[in-house]
Amino acid sequence: IGLKDDSLVDIDNIQIVACGTSFHAGLVGKYWFEELTGVPCNIDIASEYRYRHAVVRKNSLFITISQSGETADTLASLRLAKEQGYKHTLCICNVNGSSLVRESDFTLLTRAGAEIGVASTKAFTTQLLSLLMLTLLLAKQKQSLDEDKRAQIITSLRQLPSLCEKFLAKDQEILQLASEFADKHHCLFLGRGVMYPIALEGALKLKEISYIHSEAFAAGEMKHGPISLIEKNMLVVGVLTQPDLYEKMVSNLVEAKSRGAYIMGLTTYGNYSIEDTANFTVYVPKTDPHFATSLSVVPLQLLSYYIALERGCDIDKPRNLAKSVTVE
Ligand code: G6P
């Protein structure tokens, strides 16, 4: 990246700014930075950040996340951050030579390869991994993470591609569910902890490419309003791969089911008690919970893909959307 070790040690605050799918990756990053480095992290949608008179804390690192590196609001936020006096600006970006890369002090390239489809998929996965690697680097400099734990996360990181491949071989199960739900009008996604942003991303993918109205909620918020939306046979997707939040998530799904929802549970192998509640379960391989994010998003992307296919939508070029939003 180019950020010197002593500069990393001095970082006391992090501000992330991004749009769309990149914003969801940033939300996951906030959980990781605070959990593994102890450095407070704030995140804003770029179109909000640029107009909200944010307080710049001392020794702050300003991070933008963008697949294209050309998103107008993200770029404007970076320019504002430089005027505001951030100590360092870093962009996590997939396009070398883009405006964001040229104008940031430091760059972490995601190297996902050219992403052609409008809806971001592989760029998201690499954004998550880049954020995790950055977190580990900062944790090392800050000495905030046990060396064994750090090594264990890195070992799991190396296993991730083969786990993803194994999972992709089983996409027929998801195809079956997709064909049953292709004619629905509404869908809810629920998650807690780092899986809340993954639920947000699942809902975004579904609405982007299949035009089904889909929303995601932090599962604990259901009783504060969203539960009133549940109708008989409405698809509710629960993402429950975090061991410490599993039981809480199951309770939320039980509440949804008792109001008539059809439950899809997305969890890791071993959590078989979910079958008492879920009508349909997708299992992902067990791994370090940090990587359950990158693994869990794949079945959600496939679900959207197959539903959109069933509905005859133009998956790579959804209506009204652009790959790169270069105007405000
Ligand atoms: C558009 C794309 C999304 C993307 C968002 C942010 O809306 O359709 O897929 O997540 O822009 O783009 P960026 O290039 O900044 O990640």
Side-chain angles (χ1 to χ4, degrees):
I1 307 172
L3 251 171
K4 299 225 164 50
D5 291 352
D6 48 352
S7 302
L8 282 164
V9 174
D10 286 348
I11 291 168
D12 292 331
N13 286 286
I14 296 172
Q15 168 72 51
I16 303 177
V17 165
C19 299
T21 290
S22 301
F23 172 72
H24 296 157
L27 281 173
V28 176
K30 175 184 164 72
Y31 283 88
W32 286 339
F33 281 127
E34 297 202 341
E35 177 201 341
L36 300 172
T37 73
V39 175
C41 177
N42 191 42
I43 169 152
D44 282 80
I45 292 171
S47 55
E48 289 297 313
Y49 183 82
R50 59 184 293 197
Y51 297 116
R52 85 168 174 86
H53 308 285
V55 173
V56 181
R57 295 190 170 77
K58 251 180 90 186
N59 297 330
S60 277
L61 171 66
F62 185 86
I63 303 178
T64 53
I65 308 173
S66 174
Q67 188 287 128
S68 63
E70 302 295 347
T71 302
D73 285 318
T74 311
L75 198 52
S77 298
L78 169 66
R79 289 174 182 158
L80 175 66
K82 290 176 123 181
E83 284 168 24
Q84 288 173 319
Y86 274 90
K87 193 159 184 188
H88 307 290
T89 61
L90 165 74
C91 74
I92 296 179
C93 188
N94 198 39
V95 181
N96 203 1
S98 60
S99 305
L100 217 54
V101 168
R102 289 198 310 273
E103 296 188 31
S104 301
D105 300 329
F106 304 101
T107 299
L108 179 48
L109 284 176
T110 45
R111 301 186 195 278
E115 195 182 56
I116 310 296
V118 166
S120 181
T121 48
K122 62 181 181 176
F124 180 67
T125 314
T126 55
Q127 286 168 345
L128 290 179
L129 298 183
S130 303
L131 280 161
L132 191 70
M133 290 193 287
L134 184 61
T135 308
L136 292 179
L137 183 68
L138 190 57
K140 187 178 179 190
Q141 297 308 326
K142 292 265 177 194
Q143 297 181 344
S144 57
L145 186 62
D146 183 59
E147 203 35 55
D148 289 348
K149 177 73 189 153
R150 196 170 162 274
Q152 185 195 320
I153 296 178
I154 293 171
T155 306
S156 305
L157 172 63
R158 295 209 165 103
Q159 290 164 348
L160 194 61
S162 67
L163 294 183
C164 263
E165 264 167 35
K166 265 190 214 151
F167 182 80
L168 283 170
K170 297 192 335 162
D171 64 343
Q172 291 307 306
E173 286 175 19
I174 295 171
L175 174 60
Q176 180 203 323
L177 180 73
S179 52
E180 270 175 56
F181 280 89
D183 62 344
K184 297 284 179 208
H185 301 293
H186 305 282
C187 178
L188 293 186
F189 289 73
L190 303 180
R192 280 176 179 252
V194 279
M195 289 303 155
Y196 168 47
I198 298 301
L200 285 168
E201 180 57 12
L204 177 62
K205 283 290 91 83
L206 188 61
K207 64 167 83 91
E208 269 181 311
I209 64 170
S210 76
Y211 319 137
I212 291 178
H213 173 223
S214 50
E215 299 296 337
F217 297 99
E221 277 293 291
M222 279 302 278
K223 57 186 157 311
H224 299 295
I227 202 161
S228 65
L229 296 170
I230 294 181
E231 297 171 346
K232 197 163 166 24
N233 283 330
M234 182 182 199
L235 178 61
V236 173
V237 180
V239 193
L240 18 55
T241 50
Q242 299 299 287
D244 51 337
L245 295 167
Y246 177 78
E247 294 300 339
K248 296 265 174 219
M249 273 298 302
V250 172
S251 311
N252 295 126
L253 294 179
V254 168
E255 284 164 9
K257 191 174 184 186
S258 67
R259 282 148 184 97
Y262 181 100
I263 308 291
M264 169 178 152
L266 174 55
T267 190
T268 44
Y269 283 105
N271 288 334
Y272 302 119
S273 65
I274 186 63
E275 292 188 20
D276 298 338
T277 307
N279 302 84
F280 183 90
T281 308
V282 174
Y283 292 100
V284 290
K286 225 179 190 149
T287 178
D288 182 284
H290 299 96
F291 297 110
T293 48
S294 321
L295 271 182
S296 308
V297 79
V298 176
L300 299 181
Q301 290 167 345
L302 284 172
L303 180 69
S304 303
Y305 173 81
Y306 282 125
I307 289 181
L309 199 63
E310 196 77 23
R311 288 163 70 92
C313 301
D314 186 346
I315 296 170
D316 277 348
K317 292 197 191 80
R319 69 185 181 202
N320 307 338
L321 297 177
K323 181 74 189 151
S324 184
V325 181
T326 54
V327 289
E328 201 176 355

